[in-house]
Amino acid sequence: MTASDPQPASPSRPSLTERRKAATQLDIARAAAALFAEHGPDGTTAEAIARHSGVALRTFYRYFRSKQDAVGPLLSGGAERWRALLETAEPGPLATLLESAVREALAAPDASAVEQLRWTRGLLRAAERDAALRAVWYRVNQDSEERLLPVLARLAGPGADALEVRLAAAAATDAIRVALEAWSATDAPVSGTGSPAELAVRCLRELTGGMRLLGR
């Protein structure tokens, strides 16, 4: 390979094409969320989302099957950050690793993180009245749990019981899901008392209280 040859994407870094695709999907997701907030899912069409995000309708359907599916990238953002933190963590006490990752992933240190949480709140409120949107939320969480499983298996070590690792992945995923749903139903702030991070840690401790794998 010469210096002028294109460099292959790093295994840990998405290719330029993948990054562009993700950026387009996120633009569409934000457009969908904004229209849902203004008109509700029932009052929003795929055509309107495509127009609002500046893409052709065929491009919209290349990425998403329905208007509700379009907000998946926004709803999965927190889980992706949390999993990324755990993927780079060194093996150690699993309970400590999970809590630390939860706190960091759901923190609101900057405007972008605050915006992400506010989008999530609006979408979860809309999902209460829209079964298709709820289905997207549940699917996002199921996908998150499945992708978390090998990450926790690595952190727990080769001697860990497979069933206990699976239960830990399910409990950790549900802790964040329940925390975000509970927070979204209130007007609590994005940080501090009643925040998603605080609620998620509380849920995590309650759900994993009797797990040997986490040493509780």
Side-chain angles (χ1 to χ4, degrees), residues 31-49 66-69 71 122-134 136:
L35 291 172
F36 285 176
E38 185 175 355
H39 305 291
D42 287 343
T44 301
T45 64
E47 290 84 353
I49 296 171
S66 69
K67 59 187 180 183
Q68 286 89 352
D69 277 337
V71 300
L123 290 170
L124 291 183
R125 287 179 174 179
E128 294 177 1
R129 304 179 299 278
D130 190 283
L133 193 53
R134 286 199 302 277
V136 173

Side-chain angles (χ1 to χ4, degrees), residues 22 25 41-42 60 67 76 101 125 127 129-130 132 138-139 143 156 168 197-198 204 206 214:
Q25 288 176 319
D42 287 343
F60 174 91
K67 59 187 180 183
S76 63
R125 287 179 174 179
R129 304 179 299 278
D130 190 283
Y138 295 146
R139 188 167 67 248
D143 179 65
E198 181 186 77
L204 186 63
E206 292 286 348
L214 273 68

Side-chain angles (χ1 to χ4, degrees), residues 142-210:
Q142 180 63 37
D143 179 65
S144 177
E145 178 183 327
E146 291 173 359
R147 295 175 67 184
L148 180 63
L149 189 56
V151 178
L152 293 191
R154 178 187 69 84
L155 292 173
D161 182 275
L163 180 60
E164 291 183 5
V165 174
R166 188 180 184 91
L167 286 171
T173 302
D174 275 349
I176 293 182
R177 178 184 62 80
V178 171
L180 286 170
E181 290 173 352
W183 173 75
S184 295
T186 72
D187 293 320
V190 297
S191 59
T193 303
S195 66
E198 181 186 77
L199 291 174
V201 170
R202 177 184 173 189
C203 290
L204 186 63
R205 290 175 178 175
E206 292 286 348
L207 289 172
T208 63

Side-chain angles (χ1 to χ4, degrees), residues 6-192:
Q7 297 295 313
S10 166
S12 60
R13 178 177 172 80
S15 68
L16 179 60
T17 298
E18 290 170 330
R19 295 199 300 275
R20 285 174 174 168
K21 178 180 176 181
T24 299
Q25 288 176 319
L26 191 56
D27 286 343
I28 295 172
R30 287 171 174 158
L35 291 172
F36 285 176
E38 185 175 355
H39 305 291
D42 287 343
T44 301
T45 64
E47 290 84 353
I49 296 171
R51 186 167 58 251
H52 197 72
S53 58
V55 302
L57 184 59
R58 66 178 179 276
T59 301
F60 174 91
Y61 281 117
R62 186 183 307 149
Y63 293 130
F64 303 109
R65 294 176 299 176
S66 69
K67 59 187 180 183
Q68 286 89 352
D69 277 337
V71 300
L74 281 178
L75 291 174
S76 63
E80 290 173 358
R81 286 195 301 276
W82 180 47
R83 190 169 55 253
L85 290 167
L86 291 170
E87 285 174 345
T88 59
E90 294 297 326
L94 201 51
T96 301
L97 291 173
L98 285 172
E99 287 191 15
S100 177
V102 164
R103 289 187 187 279
E104 187 170 348
L106 293 179
D110 53 40
S112 177
V114 170
E115 180 187 43
Q116 171 75 35
L117 286 171
R118 287 176 174 166
W119 281 127
T120 299
R121 171 180 267 161
L123 290 170
L124 291 183
R125 287 179 174 179
E128 294 177 1
R129 304 179 299 278
D130 190 283
L133 193 53
R134 286 199 302 277
V136 173
W137 173 235
Y138 295 146
R139 188 167 67 248
V140 163
N141 280 274
Q142 180 63 37
D143 179 65
S144 177
E145 178 183 327
E146 291 173 359
R147 295 175 67 184
L148 180 63
L149 189 56
V151 178
L152 293 191
R154 178 187 69 84
L155 292 173
D161 182 275
L163 180 60
E164 291 183 5
V165 174
R166 188 180 184 91
L167 286 171
T173 302
D174 275 349
I176 293 182
R177 178 184 62 80
V178 171
L180 286 170
E181 290 173 352
W183 173 75
S184 295
T186 72
D187 293 320
V190 297
S191 59

